[in-house]
């Protein structure tokens, strides 16, 4: 595909990040040190589709695994360093920071890196770049009993009729709505007493008539109609991770810290039934010593299985009762992260004698046994970065030195299908979220979408300049068509919707956001919801926004909530919804 620049902080679970047109507060990405060496020997040889020297492909102009000449993607990114574009089908060139095993050696830097990483919280935007412009790329012991869930609603921000009307003298958010514009269904403000440095937000997820998000020590469900709080599940320690998606029957498992001290780790699992608004089983992930014990675990759900991945450790649990289904594998190559959904995919790291030349695999694993069904061997030096789509399989691969990025399509049995030929454009997959220490999320990106035959990705342009969504043929990797956003707007693909590409155009200072679709054959975007211009400034202020569209309603939530004082904290807007 193409090469992006350095990737910002590795994000957390599942939430769309920073739609275009929404100015965001600056966030400094973490400066990650090189990874420590893993034990040598035993790494399987690259499989079918391993790039061969002298076989030019769509990216022959730029450096790849075999040191080809730099091409249109050899440019520095917004975070420094150079991003280069891939070249051969099955071979990649990615943004740095995408590896699941950053520190495979250099143990002396681990403690300092951990301390620094903890200061870098929040979701950063991830840009994939291309082109010829050579641009560079509070602490006590653990509580024994969790608080009991409640169903009491919070203070409503509207009149309860789903029209955004005012209550008790509050402003009517629909007073300025023009003909043809969507209604503001509700606007919620923060009702959680947060720690001094604020808290990340996980979600939102829509389950039936409830929209759910988690923050600090609470998982809460709100009415999709008027935003009233329907239920609350308190937890005794901080929520620290979550999967991108809940199961089909509305069950999800959150990672919560195993204590209240600064040494607490994200090692406890709490299942919550989002339909019932009730907490289920809770258990701890087995503790390990050494370097692997420093890694944060990340979570993914496929079918009735919760997959837990961390550096050198992986586990599978039944969503129904928390029973362990599988554990750390016995082979040389160890899964470090999972992607869920229609199939369970694992990124695995294999032993290598040179940490600058990692050996990694992508596997489809049986969600009951954890056994690999098939294995794709990434070329030496390339790392499994992100799974943009589990079905069809579209995967981002990266190389650390020199920094390169590539997108490949695989068949259902893990064989190379094509390499995306990004041409000279810059692209903007969004893979932000809560920061993960020595771990990685494989899923949860926006700015990309895929159907059986086509991969869709948005170009990156300057603020106030229209961008495009480009459709790529998954069999050839070549661009099929381009759909341009309206003047001065920028589109971010969210997912497929009814066979079409669902996109969001973020609000600007004087224009509300837009939800639209693009037909699989291309053409101009077709509007589904035009949000009011009168509330554009509110819609435009959500920090690191996370979005979801379901049943004709669009929800936008702050990705992180923090404030300088208690009064400001209670006035912080946390979620907004639009509908007809």
């Amino acid at each position: 595909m193409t090469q992006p620049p350095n990737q910002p902080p590795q994000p957390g679970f599942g939430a769309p990040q920073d739609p275009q047109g929404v100015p965001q507060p600056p966030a400094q990405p973490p400066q990650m040190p090189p990874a420590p060496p893993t034990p040598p020997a035993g790494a399987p040889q690259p499989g079918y589709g391993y790039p061969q020297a002298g076989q030019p492909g769509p990216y022959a102009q730029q450096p790849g695994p075999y040191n080809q000449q730099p091409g249109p993607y050899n440019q520095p990114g917004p975070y420094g360093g150079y991003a280069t574009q891939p070249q051969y089908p099955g071979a990649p060139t990615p943004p740095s920071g995408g590896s699941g095993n950053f520190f495979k050696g250099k143990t002396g830097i681990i403690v300092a890196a951990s301390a620094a990483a903890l200061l870098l919280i929040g979701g950063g935007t991830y840009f994939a770049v291309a082109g010829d412009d050579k641009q560079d790329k509070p602490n006590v012991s653990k509580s024994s009993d969790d608080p009991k869930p409640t169903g009491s609603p919070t203070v409503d921000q509207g009149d309860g009729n789903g029209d955004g009307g005012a209550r008790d003298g509050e402003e009517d958010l629909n007073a300025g709505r023009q003909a043809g514009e969507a209604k503001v269904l509700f606007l919620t403000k923060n009702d959680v007493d947060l720690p001094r440095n604020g808290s990340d937000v996980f979600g939102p997820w829509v389950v039936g008539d409830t929209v759910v998000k988690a923050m600090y020590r609470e998982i809460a469900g709100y009415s999709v109609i008027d935003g009233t709080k329907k239920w609350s599940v308190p937890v005794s320690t901080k929520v620290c991770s979550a999967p991108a998606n809940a199961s089909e029957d509305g069950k999800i498992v959150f990672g919560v810290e195993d204590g209240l001290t600064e040494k607490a780790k994200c090692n406890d699992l709490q299942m919550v039934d989002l339909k019932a608004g009730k907490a289920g089983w809770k258990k701890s992930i087995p503790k390990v010593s050494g370097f692997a014990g420093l890694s944060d675990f990340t979570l993914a759900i496929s079918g009735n299985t919760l997959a837990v991945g961390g550096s050198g450790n992986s586990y599978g649990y039944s969503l129904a009762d928390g029973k362990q289904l599988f554990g750390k594998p016995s082979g040389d190559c160890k899964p470090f992260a999972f992607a869920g959904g229609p199939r369970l995919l694992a990124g695995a790291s294999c032993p290598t004698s040179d940490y600058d030349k990692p050996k990694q695999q992508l596997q489809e694993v049986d969600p009951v046994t954890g056994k690999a069904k098939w294995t794709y061997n990434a070329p030496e030096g390339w790392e499994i970065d992100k799974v943009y789509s589990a079905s069809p399989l579209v995967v981002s691969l990266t190389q650390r030195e020199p920094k390169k990025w590539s997108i490949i399509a695989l068949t259902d049995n893990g064989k190379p299908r094509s390499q995306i030929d990004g041409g000279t454009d810059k692209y903007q997959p969004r893979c932000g979220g809560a920061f993960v220490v020595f771990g990685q999320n494989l899923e949860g990106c926006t700015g990309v979408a895929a159907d059986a035959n086509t991969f869709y990705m948005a170009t990156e342009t300057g603020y106030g300049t229209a961008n495009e969504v480009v459709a790529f043929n998954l069999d050839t990797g070549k661009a099929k068509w381009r759909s341009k956003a309206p003047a001065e707007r920028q589109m971010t693909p969210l997912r497929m919707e009814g066979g079409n590409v669902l996109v969001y155009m973020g609000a600007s200072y004087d224009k509300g956001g837009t939800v639209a679709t693009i037909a699989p054959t291309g053409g101009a975007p077709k509007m589904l919801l035009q949000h009011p211009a009168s509330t554009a400034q509110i819609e435009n202020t959500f920090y690191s926004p996370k979005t979801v569209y379901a049943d004709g309603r669009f929800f936008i939530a702050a990705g992180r909530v923090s404030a300088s004082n208690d009064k400001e904290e209670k006035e912080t807007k946390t979620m907004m919804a639009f509908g007809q």
Side-chain angles (χ1 to χ4, degrees), residues 414-465:
K415 302 296 183 183
R417 182 176 177 181
S418 70
Q419 179 172 346
I420 302 303
D421 183 353
T424 60
D425 288 293
K426 296 180 182 180
Y427 295 89
Q428 52 180 358
R430 306 291 182 118
C431 303
F435 185 60
V436 180
V437 180
F438 302 129
Q440 181 180 357
N441 293 300
L442 282 187
E443 58 183 355
C445 296
T446 56
V448 293
D451 58 28
N453 302 304
T454 311
F455 175 62
Y456 308 91
M457 186 164 55
T459 63
E460 186 270 331
T461 60
Y463 178 74
T465 303

Side-chain angles (χ1 to χ4, degrees), residues 308-381:
V308 179
S311 296
N313 296 276
S314 62
Y315 306 92
Y317 298 92
S318 165
L319 277 176
D321 55 13
K323 178 184 177 182
Q324 184 172 322
L325 300 174
F326 56 85
K328 181 177 178 180
S330 57
D332 287 333
C333 300
K334 311 292 187 184
F336 56 80
F338 294 91
R343 51 165 61 100
L344 185 57
L345 300 166
S349 188
C350 306
T352 177
S353 58
D354 185 350
Y355 72 89
D356 281 331
K357 295 181 179 179
K359 294 181 180 180
Q360 292 195 355
Q361 302 173 335
L362 183 72
Q363 304 172 339
E364 180 178 0
V365 301
D366 186 310
V368 176
T369 67
K371 302 293 186 183
K373 295 182 176 181
W374 53 256
T375 297
Y376 166 77
N377 290 289
E380 185 179 73

